[in-house]
Amino acid sequence: MNLITLYLQSAIRTETVTDVASFIGRDPSGSFGIQPGRAALITVLEYGLSRFRTTTGVWYYLACPGAVLHFTDNQLTINSRYYLYHQDHERIAGLLTGQLAEEEKALSHVKHNLQQLEQELFRRLRQLDRWSS
């Protein structure tokens, strides 16, 4: 039986799941599935839940704030800033709306602060340019 080896990678951890029978995810074009032997694929997963089934028939739910997915030769790699996975759909959905949503909010705040810093730097550069003219 052909199987998929799933590599979950984030900035702080890496995990390998060796007995994946199928994977279902969602990218900007919609939902898609991956089974062993599928053609190579590279896409970007949307914020939300994906899922994968192991050979035991158990479904695992994967939550991430977007990710890059690469599949080739039955090797599925998912790279994300952060991810969570668990068998319990309710638990992982709750974590997605709680923990990952807080992370996204914090990241949005950091982006806003960087934009303000950039605007202030441009303002000061314009002042320096006026003084040197």
Side-chain angles (χ1 to χ4, degrees):
M1 175 182 203
N2 282 338
L3 297 175
I4 296 171
T5 301
L6 172 61
Y7 301 96
L8 296 169
Q9 301 174 343
S10 76
I12 58 173
R13 68 182 178 160
T14 299
E15 295 180 68
T16 302
V17 183
T18 59
D19 63 340
V20 174
S22 64
F23 176 88
I24 298 174
R26 182 169 182 82
D27 67 5
S29 68
S31 295
F32 64 92
I34 296 175
Q35 292 184 332
R38 186 195 194 285
L41 171 70
I42 297 175
T43 191
V44 176
L45 294 176
E46 293 185 332
Y47 180 99
L49 289 177
S50 298
R51 62 186 170 147
F52 60 92
R53 183 175 49 87
T54 62
T55 56
T56 62
V58 175
W59 283 97
Y60 288 86
Y61 299 90
L62 172 68
C64 57
V68 175
L69 177 147
H70 178 254
F71 179 76
T72 188
D73 298 326
N74 292 334
Q75 308 291 305
L76 176 58
T77 303
I78 298 176
N79 292 295
S80 181
R81 287 189 330 269
Y82 190 81
Y83 69 87
L84 302 165
Y85 79 95
H86 198 272
Q87 293 176 353
D88 184 348
H89 178 268
E90 295 301 318
R91 179 175 181 211
I92 203 71
L95 289 172
L96 178 66
T97 57
Q99 192 172 358
L100 290 178
E102 284 181 29
E103 180 184 313
E104 286 299 303
K105 184 177 177 182
L107 182 60
S108 176
H109 184 70
V110 168
K111 286 179 183 178
H112 176 73
N113 288 345
L114 287 173
Q115 287 173 344
Q116 286 182 324
L117 177 62
E118 183 181 61
Q119 289 172 359
E120 180 63 21
L121 285 171
F122 282 135
R123 186 183 68 76
R124 289 189 184 199
L125 284 172
R126 284 191 301 268
Q127 285 178 347
L128 288 173
D129 187 45
R130 279 188 239 138
W131 288 343
S132 65
S133 299

